[in-house]
């Protein structure tokens, strides 16, 4: 495929209000936007979703910046890239750094789709024209106010960030405001085997699921919990590859999987996980990472795949931003988001706003 130049920008986006989990607080979202240009003026956009601090994964915006500049783009420049599906194999010489890899890989998928004059949804085989949207409430959110506000928009699922020992209190309070809409909570890997009985005692809450209760390298305790609860157990950070998804399914460590493009390294791995999950009849859903409209467009397109059967973290743009960096921010209507149908990721980036929020950037000319 035609590739002339790659531009990497570090962008600072101030959240409308701080987002707090048990692992970290985000006030300003530092993210990397990757632009892939061809010789005909087409540009593909990707987003590297690593945070400024390593509280979610070892990757940060700084490590991703260096990996892109000094390793990944030079490796890509040595290849004869024909199709974006080849990027995952090209990057195998570089261990880890899935978020940095995903940033450039997703930009190349967008560019390729635009070169083909097709929507990326059609290119990857998406099935749905609109996808069900869930919303996440952080520890700093006003639970009553936010729950009532988002209920009016028809969100199909609420995910709560909770403190250990206060789950029941938080969930029962939320139910007062949202009624029968499914509720789940995110453990963010903070529970240990000593909490097994405590978690099992939450089974009577009839939760939609419990996400990632145990540490991210664990399959065993997730299996132990899964076999003793009626509540769905969902894996997030544990699944970084198709092989991880295979282990989770074969070891009965989960009832469903949250797939994030950044965490698994991009579309090709996500497609492999999707295809394996389809064979195994494992439902999937798409998680969020406080993305700009660029990353959100990629997420919505991923969620259009057939096996993404559960509502994803696909809230509308104004949930986090006063002004997004795309001209037509995503909206939730009756709990659903429309999947873009224009070429590529189907959104128009506001270059003026992107420039205003750019902290630093570099250009990498492709010579191969």
């Amino acid at each position: 495929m035609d590739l002339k130049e790659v531009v990497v920008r570090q962008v600072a986006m101030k959240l409308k209000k701080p987002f707090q989990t048990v692992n970290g607080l985000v006030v300003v979202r530092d993210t990397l936007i990757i632009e892939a240009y061809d010789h005909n003026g087409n540009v593909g956009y990707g987003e590297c979703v690593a945070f400024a601090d390593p509280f979610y994964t070892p990757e940060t915006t700084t490590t991703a910046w260096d990996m892109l500049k000094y390793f990944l783009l030079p490796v890509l420049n040595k290849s004869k890239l024909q199709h974006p599906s080849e990027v995952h194999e090209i990057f195998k010489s570089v261990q880890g750094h899935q978020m940095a890899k995903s940033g450039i890989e997703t930009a190349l998928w967008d560019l390729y789709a635009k070169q083909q004059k097709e929507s990326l949804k059609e290119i990857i085989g998406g099935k749905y024209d609109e996808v069900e949207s869930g919303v996440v409430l952080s520890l700093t959110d006003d639970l009553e106010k936010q729950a009532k506000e988002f209920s009016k928009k028809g969100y199909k699922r609420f995910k709560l960030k909770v403190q250990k020992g206060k789950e029941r209190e938080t969930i029962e309070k939320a139910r007062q405001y949202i009624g029968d809409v499914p509720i789940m909570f995110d453990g963010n890997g903070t529970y240990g085997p000593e909490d097994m009985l405590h978690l099992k005692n939450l089974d009577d809450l009839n939760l939609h699921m419990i996400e990632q209760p145990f540490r991210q390298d664990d399959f065993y305790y997730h299996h132990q919990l899964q076999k003793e609860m009626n509540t769905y157990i969902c894996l997030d950070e544990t699944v970084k590859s198709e092989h991880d998804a295979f282990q989770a399914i074969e070891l009965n460590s989960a009832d469903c999987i949250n797939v994030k493009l950044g965490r698994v390294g991009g579309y090709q791995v996500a497609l492999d996980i999707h295809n394996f999950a389809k064979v195994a009849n494992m439902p999937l859903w798409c998680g969020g990472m406080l993305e700009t409209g660029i990353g959100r467009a990629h997420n919505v397109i991923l969620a259009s795949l057939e096996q993404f059967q559960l509502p994803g973290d696909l809230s509308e743009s104004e949930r986090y931003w006063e002004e997004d960096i795309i001209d037509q921010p995503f909206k939730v209507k009756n709990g659903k988001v429309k999947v873009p149908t224009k070429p590529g990721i189907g959104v128009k980036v506001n270059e003026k706003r992107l420039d205003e929020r750019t902290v630093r950037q570099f250009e990498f000319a492709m010579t191969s």
Side-chain angles (χ1 to χ4, degrees):
M1 58 183 288
D2 179 19
L3 181 59
K4 177 185 177 183
E5 181 185 45
V6 174
V7 176
V8 178
R9 301 171 180 256
Q10 182 173 333
V11 174
M13 299 277 288
K14 186 177 181 180
L15 291 163
K16 290 172 75 172
K17 59 182 65 178
F19 190 87
Q20 177 77 59
T21 74
V22 293
N23 291 329
L25 175 70
V26 182
V27 178
V28 176
R29 181 61 165 110
D30 282 299
T31 188
L32 300 184
I33 300 299
I34 292 91
E35 304 168 340
Y37 292 86
D38 67 13
H39 290 83
N40 294 316
N42 294 306
V43 55
Y45 294 94
E47 182 168 352
C48 170
V49 296
F51 290 104
D53 301 312
F55 64 83
Y56 177 70
T57 70
E59 287 187 83
T60 67
T61 48
T62 301
T63 65
W65 176 278
D66 287 344
M67 289 304 301
L68 285 160
K69 188 172 186 178
Y70 300 114
F71 294 95
L72 296 176
L73 290 174
V75 167
L76 184 65
N77 194 35
K78 294 177 183 178
S79 69
K80 298 292 184 182
L81 184 65
Q82 301 297 316
H83 191 276
S85 61
E86 301 166 2
V87 175
H88 173 64
E89 191 68 28
I90 291 169
F91 285 161
K92 276 191 173 179
S93 61
V94 178
Q95 297 298 310
H97 300 279
Q98 286 93 337
M99 291 182 177
K101 291 176 178 178
S102 176
I104 180 61
E105 195 246 31
T106 52
L108 292 171
W109 276 96
D110 182 27
L111 177 62
Y112 176 80
K114 287 170 178 171
Q115 290 172 346
Q116 304 304 308
K117 296 181 173 56
E118 293 186 53
S119 72
L120 187 50
K121 173 201 164 186
E122 298 299 326
I123 292 285
I124 68 169
K127 175 182 177 182
Y128 308 117
D129 295 326
E130 54 183 8
V131 294
E132 292 191 334
S133 177
V135 68
V136 186
L137 300 185
S138 89
L139 291 173
T140 55
D141 283 326
D142 182 324
L143 185 57
E144 179 178 358
K145 179 181 178 182
Q146 297 291 78
K148 288 180 177 178
E149 177 185 337
F150 295 130
S151 290
K152 291 177 182 177
K153 293 184 178 291
Y155 280 97
K156 301 294 185 180
R157 183 267 292 148
F158 281 74
K159 180 163 83 172
L160 307 180
K161 299 292 185 179
V162 298
Q163 291 180 312
K164 190 189 297 187
K166 296 184 178 181
E167 305 91 346
R168 184 177 295 273
E169 172 188 335
T170 304
I171 291 158
E172 289 179 345
K173 184 178 180 182
R175 278 229 169 91
Q176 296 176 28
Y177 312 124
I178 66 173
D180 295 330
V181 178
I183 296 177
M184 60 178 286
F185 77 81
D186 188 354
N188 283 124
T190 58
Y191 296 84
E194 69 278 6
D195 300 307
M196 190 72 71
L197 180 60
H198 170 64
L199 289 167
K200 288 193 288 185
N201 285 337
L202 300 176
D203 213 10
D204 67 310
L205 289 171
N206 296 315
L207 294 165
H208 187 46
M209 69 181 76
I210 299 173
E211 181 181 3
Q212 195 67 42
F214 302 116
R215 51 190 284 171
Q216 62 180 264
D217 59 355
D218 176 79
F219 289 95
Y220 177 76
Y221 287 114
H222 283 110
H223 162 71
Q224 294 296 108
L225 186 63
Q226 189 265 0
K227 72 178 183 179
E228 296 193 38
M229 291 189 75
N230 292 319
T231 302
Y232 267 21
I233 304 302
C234 173
L235 290 181
D236 178 1
E237 293 94 331
T238 298
V239 178
K240 303 180 183 69
S241 65
E242 181 192 9
H243 184 66
D244 288 340
F246 166 78
Q247 291 187 89
I249 292 169
E250 291 299 310
L251 296 173
N252 293 314
S253 297
D255 298 284
C256 59
I257 296 173
N258 168 358
V259 181
K260 294 175 179 171
L261 285 167
R263 196 188 68 244
V264 303
Y267 277 105
Q268 190 55 51
V269 178
L271 287 166
D272 290 341
I273 291 172
H274 170 268
N275 294 338
F276 183 74
K278 186 176 179 180
V279 172
N281 198 29
M282 168 75 79
L284 305 175
W285 58 280
C286 179
M289 291 282 290
L290 302 178
E291 294 92 348
T292 71
I294 291 170
R296 195 160 304 275
H298 281 290
N299 287 352
V300 170
I301 288 165
L302 178 69
S304 73
L305 291 167
E306 181 178 0
Q307 205 61 23
F308 284 78
Q309 299 170 352
L310 303 173
D313 292 338
L314 304 170
S315 53
E316 60 187 11
S317 297
E318 69 174 21
R319 165 72 176 99
Y320 298 115
W321 318 117
E322 294 290 354
E323 281 190 320
D324 205 341
I325 56 173
I326 58 175
D327 278 337
Q328 294 181 310
F330 283 95
K331 296 287 186 182
V332 171
K333 186 175 181 180
N334 297 323
K336 295 183 179 182
V337 177
K338 288 186 177 180
V339 181
T341 56
K342 294 179 181 178
I345 58 173
V347 297
K348 187 176 186 304
V349 175
N350 187 306
E351 293 293 341
K352 182 175 182 293
R353 271 185 233 143
L354 182 58
D355 286 339
E356 289 172 349
R357 289 158 177 75
T358 297
V359 176
R360 58 174 176 163
Q361 71 179 60
F362 72 83
E363 296 81 32
F364 191 98
M366 308 300 291
T367 58
S368 62

